[in-house]
Amino acid sequence: MTRFNGCIDLHHGKVKQIVGGSLSDKSPEQLTTNFVSEESPSFYSKLYKDHEVTRCHVIKLGPNNDEAAKEALQAWSGGLQVGGGITADNAQHWLSLGASKVIVTSYLFPGAKFSLERLQKLCELVGKDKLVVDVSCRKKNDKWIVAMDKWQTMTDMEVNKETLDMLSQYCSEFLIHAADVEGLCKGIDEELVKRLGEWINIPTTYAGGGRSIEDLKLVDKLSNGKVDLTFGSALDIFGGNGVTFQECIEWNKRHM
């Protein structure tokens, strides 16, 4: 059954909800921010821990987020996955700080080209069970293409059954942001969720466009219960008015 998984998105040390497609190093003024929390990262860690929301992820969106991420991990050691700038050089460090798993994207695509060698190296280093591959993507010519570097750069990898089968040999989980709808609260990418339900064979969390509790039902139906969902900007704990955290907790309890 589809479950609600939690997220903590960090930007310049603050918990924020932003429109994914607006992140740009070249034009930072384009950034569209939906929400900046007055609460600390640890507040959200404890909230997820207290309500047994498993497989939550902390994403560092750019620089100046390491201390905030460490704070989140300290509040729930072994309960949170960490992504954003993960490489073979620092993956073990983040696991030693209490991350349950590390999430990787950009490191696997030097020059925006996929490197199987890097994936194998990371897998050998931390172990398949500690590795999540983030195949966040944008749609181009009716295909989903993996996007890296805060979703600004399109890579040479298409998201399909063949690539997901290959990647799943080296990781234990997928995280998939549909970057084109991320932060817009205008509905999930239904076609992508349906395809993921057909393609995946390991636990997978989808993020992007979720706007109400009905989307949990929709993802469950479209993916045959194989894909989990996280809410961002629509969730009340992130300033949203589409879905309440309590609704999500009750959903999880009913779908143990």
Side-chain angles (χ1 to χ4, degrees):
M1 294 293 292
T2 292
R3 286 174 56 83
F4 159 71
N5 295 339
C7 68
I8 303 173
D9 293 345
L10 301 173
H11 188 255
H12 289 297
K14 296 277 192 180
V15 177
K16 296 185 182 180
Q17 284 296 315
I18 59 181
V19 176
S22 72
L23 275 165
S24 173
D25 290 337
K26 294 176 183 174
S27 306
E29 72 281 356
Q30 290 181 4
L31 183 71
T32 303
T33 303
N34 289 336
F35 174 74
V36 181
S37 181
E38 295 179 2
E39 302 287 358
S40 66
S42 61
F43 167 83
Y44 293 97
S45 297
K46 291 171 184 172
L47 191 65
Y48 292 140
K49 180 182 181 181
D50 291 346
H51 291 88
E52 300 177 353
V53 184
T54 55
R55 294 188 22 240
C56 300
H57 56 269
V58 179
I59 301 294
K60 299 181 290 151
L61 295 167
N64 307 314
N65 291 309
D66 283 1
E67 292 308 311
K70 290 174 187 175
E71 180 193 318
L73 291 177
Q74 286 170 356
W76 192 10
S77 184
L80 301 167
Q81 304 168 0
V82 173
I86 297 297
T87 69
D89 292 331
N90 63 23
Q92 288 280 28
H93 173 66
W94 284 104
L95 290 170
S96 73
L97 289 172
S100 61
K101 301 184 182 187
V102 286
I103 305 167
V104 65
T105 307
S106 297
Y107 172 74
L108 302 180
F109 295 90
K113 297 189 186 310
F114 175 67
S115 168
L116 179 58
E117 184 181 349
R118 285 194 173 192
L119 177 59
Q120 290 171 330
K121 180 180 179 181
L122 202 51
C123 180
E124 288 174 15
L125 191 67
V126 303
K128 177 178 177 177
D129 62 321
K130 295 290 185 184
L131 189 58
V132 180
V133 173
D134 183 335
V135 279
S136 295
C137 54
R138 310 190 83 144
K139 203 162 188 183
K140 185 178 180 181
N141 301 327
D142 290 327
K143 295 178 180 179
W144 292 277
I145 307 298
V146 175
M148 57 177 266
D149 190 24
K150 300 190 293 293
W151 312 315
Q152 298 170 88
T153 305
M154 303 291 267
T155 70
D156 63 347
M157 177 177 281
E158 180 185 346
V159 179
N160 55 31
K161 187 176 190 320
E162 183 182 17
T163 56
L164 294 177
D165 280 347
M166 179 272 296
L167 293 171
S168 68
Q169 296 176 52
Y170 304 98
C171 67
S172 56
E173 199 167 326
F174 291 129
L175 174 62
I176 301 181
H177 292 85
D180 292 323
V181 298
E182 172 81 11
L184 297 179
C185 301
K186 292 183 178 177
I188 62 169
D189 185 334
E190 294 186 27
E191 190 180 350
L192 176 58
V193 170
K194 185 171 186 293
R195 294 285 186 209
L196 291 173
E198 297 167 359
W199 294 338
I200 60 169
N201 55 24
I202 58 174
T204 297
T205 300
Y206 167 92
R211 56 186 172 183
S212 79
I213 198 71
E214 294 300 315
D215 284 316
L216 274 166
K217 299 176 186 175
L218 184 58
V219 170
D220 188 55
K221 178 184 174 186
L222 290 171
S223 73
N224 288 316
K226 292 174 70 178
V227 175
D228 291 332
L229 176 67
T230 189
F231 288 103
S233 297
L235 196 58
D236 63 347
I237 59 172
F238 297 125
N241 56 16
V243 60
T244 68
F245 183 67
Q246 190 58 40
E247 283 179 300
C248 295
I249 297 309
E250 287 170 2
W251 168 276
N252 279 2
K253 285 180 178 175
R254 290 197 307 271
H255 300 86
M256 291 293 281

